[in-house]
Amino acid sequence: MSEVRTDVRYTASHEWVRLEDDGTVTVGISDHAQGLLGDIVFVELPEVDAEFSAEDACCVVESVKAASDIYMPINGEIVDTNNALVDEPDIINSSPYDDGWIFRIKPVDEEDIEQLMDASTYEAEIADE
Amino acid sequence: MSQKTALYEKHLQSNGKIVDFAGWQMPINYGSQIEEHHQVRRDAGMFDVSHMTVVDISGDAVTPFLQYLLANDVAKLKQSGKALYSCMLNENGGVIDDLIVYYMNDDWFRMVVNAGTRDKDLAWINQQAAKFNVAIKERDDLAMIAVQGPRGREKALQVLPLDVSQAAADLERFFGADSGEWFVGRTGYTGEDGFEIMLPESEAAEFWDSLIEAGVRPCGLGARDTLRLEAGMNLYGTDMDETTSPLISGLGWTIAWQPAERNFIGRSVIEAEKNKGPQQKLVGLVLEDKGVLRGHQKVIVDGQGEGEVTSGTFSPTLKQAVALARVPVGTGEYCKVDIRGKLLSARVVKPVFVRDGQSCID
């Protein structure tokens, strides 16, 4: 079964979100999501400095099967992207919560994270699928 | 109402991820589509293709019937077991389906058509057959397993029943042979050597297990699609359909224009199109930038106009995106593809990317 990390929060569209010590927020996709997508072959990263609202499509992950949008989990500005994914996009398959992180944001309000699902809620959510 | 093949339980046992395909519950992969793809290119993989439709056509008039029904000419088939790839056209020259037909003897041909077109194909074939002394019989009692890859034949021969193995051992490419209710064709849809094996449904599960023991790995429909696209083989319903002629679908080579007096369905329309000069052609594209080509992306050709990707994917063998695309007939060596609003550069190539494990791209 897919791993659900307990130290991050989740969106209904399967992004995970982690608040870092410096106040930035790291975003990736869950182990469950990478399993659904299958072998990932291309990532179109967002532009650094771009601003998005929560639930905006901001990035695209393509597997052999299909292209899937990645959604902004909370309002914020992109401050960094994981450039290792340009040449090795399948890191998302092998390490979705660590080396396969996708981008970092500076949140408009870090309290927004509290609105997202905790691990047990997310686990129940994907069990129903 | 989704149907299951005789191998459905086997797919579940191998952790197959099941999806609906043309009304059938089929495995899209058993874990990793890319690993399954490489397995076929490098060793031996197998696909359950029991959902495909097998039709036996028999009777005195079977040759003249098929010469009328199909755009390719079955009169080319002189040796028993020889296979022919053909389009079946409608009166407007559109493609009803593409298929393989095996000549078994003067009274019996076996045809394999697509699963997604089964109902309309059978209706069309039966309608056309009314004027001929032939019998049409769907063989839905047969399962079909495609064993593909450089070591596919060798491994399959080890586990086929002895009589079938003897019949299959010396088959040349694009020939088939039967033994009892079993039938083996040295054909496939991957660009690799291999067999397509038809057998009674009741024996399918046991044979599947023996293939696994011989080192043939189950592969899903996902890998089947990336393999056929690398091989530059058309997929019905995406690369051509009833609204496109074979001439703009890369299938002109499958039309037998000679003898000129052979009247096959759709001939007059596509002959007129050929004489006038088709306005489009089907080409291969290799994306030069990073990204993935997908069906329906817009193609822009300088000074020529626009075209469309008909099917595209990331090629696991070449590690870049490849596609089939229908473009203006004057298209040269390069074009642009619109991917989410960005115009990326693609090279135009002959639509064969990989054959027998080797890249066909410079």
Side-chain angles (χ1 to χ4, degrees):
Chain A
M1 289 318 291
S2 49
E3 182 189 4
V4 178
R5 285 274 173 95
T6 52
D7 62 342
V8 298
R9 298 185 83 88
Y10 296 90
T11 67
S13 48
H14 306 293
E15 290 84 11
W16 59 258
V17 169
R18 183 171 60 224
L19 181 61
E20 308 292 353
D21 294 341
D22 64 359
T24 65
V25 168
T26 306
V27 180
I29 63 170
S30 71
D31 189 30
H32 175 73
Q34 71 76 22
L36 288 179
L37 290 171
D39 302 295
I40 292 168
V41 295
F42 177 67
V43 182
E44 190 176 281
L45 294 166
E47 303 280 333
V48 172
D49 295 338
E51 292 178 23
F52 295 98
S53 301
E55 298 178 17
D56 283 353
C58 60
C59 165
V60 178
V61 171
E62 300 212 31
S63 70
V64 274
K65 277 183 264 173
S68 305
D69 287 322
I70 303 299
Y71 298 95
M72 195 74 165
I74 52 173
N75 300 329
E77 177 189 334
I78 306 286
V79 292
D80 195 10
T81 59
N82 185 357
N83 290 317
L85 299 177
V86 173
D87 289 321
E88 293 182 79
D90 57 343
I91 298 173
I92 294 176
N93 292 119
S94 56
S95 179
Y97 296 108
D98 297 305
D99 296 343
W101 66 277
I102 301 174
F103 55 84
R104 284 204 179 91
I105 54 186
K106 190 169 94 186
V108 171
D109 181 353
E110 67 177 54
E111 304 257 308
D112 288 348
I113 294 174
E114 303 303 317
Q115 306 302 314
L116 303 176
M117 282 181 268
D118 63 16
S120 57
T121 311
Y122 181 66
E123 198 154 15
E125 175 96 2
I126 61 177
D128 289 344
E129 281 185 4
Chain B
M1 277 282 288
S2 216
Q3 304 185 75
K4 292 171 182 168
T5 75
L7 294 165
Y8 179 75
E9 294 299 327
K10 294 283 140 197
H11 304 322
L12 297 185
Q13 276 174 25
S14 296
N15 294 318
K17 183 164 178 268
I18 304 295
V19 297
D20 181 273
F21 179 84
W24 292 82
Q25 297 274 301
M26 301 300 288
I28 184 92
N29 64 58
Y30 301 85
S32 167
Q33 177 175 334
I34 287 184
E35 277 174 30
E36 291 161 23
H37 180 107
H38 290 320
Q39 175 74 16
V40 172
R41 285 274 177 259
R42 296 167 185 169
D43 189 352
M46 62 177 161
F47 304 87
D48 177 13
V49 285
S50 305
H51 59 307
M52 295 192 76
T53 307
V54 181
V55 185
D56 281 341
I57 304 172
S58 56
D60 295 345
V62 61
T63 299
F65 170 59
L66 292 174
Q67 285 191 293
Y68 173 67
L69 184 75
L70 304 178
N72 211 335
D73 188 356
V74 295
K76 291 176 183 173
L77 304 174
K78 310 250 187 253
Q79 281 176 275
S80 177
K82 180 73 178 156
L84 185 74
Y85 175 69
S86 182
C87 290
M88 180 164 73
L89 304 179
N90 61 27
E91 301 285 0
N92 299 320
V95 184
I96 294 174
D97 203 1
D98 65 331
L99 55 90
I100 288 205
V101 59
Y102 296 90
Y103 163 68
M104 301 311 292
N105 59 49
D106 287 342
D107 298 317
W108 174 32
F109 285 72
R110 172 165 285 183
M111 232 158 74
V112 183
V113 304
N114 282 299
T117 50
R118 175 194 172 272
D119 295 356
K120 69 166 188 174
D121 285 7
L122 289 175
W124 178 258
I125 293 165
N126 279 301
Q127 182 193 331
Q128 303 307 324
K131 293 168 263 177
F132 294 84
N133 183 26
V134 292
I136 311 293
K137 185 169 187 238
E138 183 188 10
R139 297 300 306 270
D140 52 7
D141 54 319
L142 297 178
M144 180 153 40
I145 300 171
V147 180
Q148 302 276 293
R151 300 191 62 201
R153 283 193 311 136
E154 160 201 331
K155 290 182 174 182
L157 287 170
Q158 290 168 15
V159 293
L160 281 165
L162 190 60
D163 59 319
V164 186
S165 184
Q166 282 169 345
D170 298 325
L171 283 175
E172 290 175 43
R173 283 203 186 203
F174 234 60
F175 274 84
D178 64 321
S179 184
E181 285 297 286
W182 288 57
F183 179 97
V184 179
R186 192 174 166 188
T187 49
Y189 193 50
T190 60
E192 297 297 325
D193 202 350
F195 287 142
E196 291 178 300
I197 300 161
M198 302 172 206
L199 70 166
E201 282 188 321
S202 59
E203 297 173 64
E206 192 185 335
F207 183 59
W208 181 267
D209 283 340
S210 62
L211 284 165
I212 291 179
E213 279 171 36
V216 182
R217 279 182 48 182
C219 300
L221 293 183
R224 189 169 161 82
D225 190 53
T226 48
L227 287 159
R228 72 89 194 168
L229 187 44
E230 283 187 350
M233 293 170 168
N234 287 33
L235 174 62
Y236 188 79
T238 57
D239 301 313
M240 74 290 197
D241 60 25
E242 293 198 30
T243 67
T244 57
S245 90
L247 298 175
I248 62 166
S249 308
L251 297 172
W253 63 276
T254 69
I255 300 162
W257 299 104
Q258 299 298 329
E261 63 274 16
R262 183 174 69 99
N263 172 38
F264 61 85
I265 300 167
R267 175 165 193 147
S268 58
V269 178
I270 58 168
E271 197 152 38
E273 183 189 5
K274 175 172 169 259
N275 292 338
K276 191 173 153 222
Q279 297 303 296
Q280 294 167 302
K281 61 180 179 181
L282 197 81
V283 296
L285 300 183
V286 178
L287 190 66
E288 304 220 299
D289 297 308
K290 282 187 188 288
V292 184
L293 295 166
R294 305 279 185 194
H296 305 299
Q297 286 167 347
K298 192 197 285 182
V299 177
I300 297 107
V301 186
D302 270 350
Q304 298 290 329
E306 292 181 354
E308 190 179 82
V309 172
T310 55
S311 48
T313 193
F314 178 83
S315 157
T317 305
L318 304 177
K319 301 204 177 353
Q320 55 189 334
V322 300
L324 299 177
R326 186 170 283 116
V327 296
V329 73
T331 300
E333 277 181 77
Y334 290 92
C335 65
K336 299 275 184 197
V337 182
D338 184 336
I339 302 182
R340 294 184 288 272
K342 287 181 193 163
L343 294 184
L344 303 185
S345 181
R347 197 151 57 93
V348 179
V349 299
K350 265 179 55 178
V352 184
F353 306 99
V354 180
R355 271 290 157 94
D356 293 325
Q358 301 300 310
S359 167
C360 304
I361 306 303
D362 300 334

